[in-house]
Amino acid sequence: MPNNEDELAVYLQSNHQRHFKIVGYGHSWAGLYIPNDHGGNMGETVVLHHLSGITQFLSKQYCFPSSSLKVEEMTEVEVLVGTSFAELHKQLEGRGLALSWQSGGIQGLTIGGAISVGFHGSQLSSSSISSVVGSLTLFDTHGQQHILNEDSKLMFAARLGLGVCGVITRATLPIEPQFYLRRRRWIEPNTFLFFSQKLSTFKSIYDRFHYYVHPHSYSTWPMVWESATLQECVDEKKPCRTAMNQWEDEREIEYGKDGLPLIMRWDNCCDVSYKAYTHAIDMEAQPLWNGEWFLSLSDHEEADTVLTILELFRNIACQYEPNNKPDIDLWLHVRYMRGDRIYLHPCYGWEHCTGFELALVAKGMKDPLPSEERWYRYFHPFENYFKSKGGRPHWAKDHTIDPDYISRSGLPVSRFLEQCEFLNIENLQGYHKQL
């Protein structure tokens, strides 16, 4: 756990024998942070939590030809990658600023870990955090520092490098004046009506929109965020709360032993930007399995995909569940991103894409993680369906893929490896086979 970049450089300069991996928050289901050299030998884990905090703000100056007026506006923040989103949001709020990119709901993740795996929320006009990074400072495996900007070809690899494309220590992210959001969640009891009449309308109205589907009850739960003002939020008197603090949802026991699971606990509220899209610092209070796959689809194809998955789950339930209904603790989460040119971005080469995230949660808050048998009963058929359609996985979530499939899916893995090999002379050995 180096205290600064100098100590990290010394470690890298002296470590030319053992395999190592960088760990962020350790939230990944895929074990990307486990330092295994694929020969059964465990290496070292490097933790960058001491590299934390804002280092500088970057500004642009605007001149008005008709007068001598000059306006300077802060447009980017440079942050050390051990900083969590929760810490960064608070520091920015203290200056009246906010991230221009609206993140996903888990705020305990480190900036470096999130960039490395493509952390995303759901926004039709935007993509993952990897896509909005302006510049990166990183070190190669010999401890040499490199500063990359948007013009560097290496950025297309390093911005979603899975921890094998150099060691990131700093990143610049876009910022803007603080703003407010109103969050709304409701139930659509008729899933067929939702897809046939409402889905396209919601996507045309709301930029930040996603929805959950509960296969057991065949209900759909849309969620939207819309712009608000400070005064509107004050008047509504409904500040946003994290999932653990939403005691009302504990009463919804028709959806589970302890009511709605944590992944579903989003209250209707109005608050400052990051509080409106914060779901939790982590999800450790209720164990769960999850995996996510992406496809580029029209609205009609998206509807067909969800209905096909629901039918698939019903067929599984007829074989294994006593009531012939899918597991009550199974949830499907659907959200959106724009495409990108980052080599390992799951939406690479597509104009836009839809993410289908499957989760199986513990029966209750104090219950153990569901068994592998229960999870893979649903997840393997779910995953096989997306493989049959040429889908791509979220790297940091559960998946079972092989090198041949990755190549067939259209991701330019060879270009990724060529760029990263420049930074990882020793550390990339063995990853050609894995990737």
Side-chain angles (χ1 to χ4, degrees), residues 5-6 8-16 20 138-146 167 423 426:
E5 289 168 305
D6 290 339
L8 173 65
V10 170
Y11 167 79
L12 294 171
Q13 290 162 6
S14 61
N15 179 48
H16 294 301
F20 70 92
L138 49 77
F139 288 77
D140 62 30
T141 53
H142 286 299
Q144 182 67 40
Q145 186 186 76
H146 303 265
V167 182
L423 297 169
E426 289 86 13

Side-chain angles (χ1 to χ4, degrees), residues 85 101 103-107 109-110 113-121 127-130 160 335 337 394:
F85 280 95
W101 178 79
S103 76
I106 307 301
Q107 302 301 312
L109 307 184
T110 65
I115 293 170
S116 296
V117 300
F119 176 51
H120 69 99
S127 192
S128 71
I129 188 170
S130 311
L160 206 162
R335 45 192 179 165
M337 282 197 292
H394 191 305

Side-chain angles (χ1 to χ4, degrees), residues 31 41 71 104 140 149 181 265 370 373 432:
N41 300 312
V71 176
D140 62 30
N149 57 37
L181 293 171
R265 295 190 184 182
E373 181 184 2
H432 292 76

Side-chain angles (χ1 to χ4, degrees), residues 191-344:
T191 293
F192 288 103
L193 185 65
F194 170 78
F195 285 115
S196 62
Q197 298 184 18
K198 299 183 179 182
L199 176 63
S200 295
T201 300
F202 289 147
K203 290 172 72 172
S204 68
I205 296 173
Y206 301 106
D207 181 51
R208 187 169 170 90
F209 162 71
H210 67 173
Y211 59 92
Y212 293 86
V213 180
H214 188 218
H216 182 88
S217 62
Y218 228 65
S219 57
T220 304
W221 303 60
M223 281 187 60
V224 300
W225 286 258
E226 53 190 347
S227 297
T229 65
L230 169 60
Q231 189 58 51
E232 287 172 337
C233 289
V234 170
D235 293 342
E236 284 194 24
K237 299 179 180 179
K238 290 183 178 180
C240 296
R241 296 170 293 166
T242 60
M244 284 296 292
N245 293 323
Q246 294 171 37
W247 54 270
E248 299 93 337
D249 286 341
E250 294 178 20
R251 300 173 175 175
E252 306 286 347
I253 56 174
E254 66 268 36
Y255 298 103
K257 175 181 173 181
D258 287 339
L260 281 170
L262 282 185
I263 59 171
M264 285 298 299
R265 295 190 184 182
W266 298 86
D267 55 357
N268 293 330
C269 62
C270 189
D271 216 320
V272 68
S273 62
Y274 73 94
K275 292 182 180 178
Y277 54 75
T278 291
H279 191 199
I281 299 302
D282 60 56
M283 296 301 290
E284 293 175 356
Q286 186 174 21
L288 80 158
W289 294 89
N290 84 332
E292 185 172 20
W293 279 76
F294 298 86
L295 284 172
S296 179
L297 302 170
S298 66
D299 292 350
H300 177 72
E301 291 169 333
E302 177 186 331
D304 282 348
T305 297
V306 175
L307 294 175
T308 299
I309 291 169
L310 291 177
E311 184 63 25
L312 178 68
F313 290 165
R314 289 214 165 193
N315 290 335
I316 295 170
C318 287
Q319 298 179 54
Y320 296 101
E321 306 296 347
N323 57 7
N324 293 332
K325 289 185 177 183
D327 198 309
I328 193 172
D329 301 313
L330 191 71
W331 291 84
L332 178 65
H333 184 195
V334 182
R335 45 192 179 165
Y336 308 97
M337 282 197 292
R338 288 192 65 81
D340 202 289
R341 294 186 296 158
I342 297 172
Y343 297 145
L344 296 190

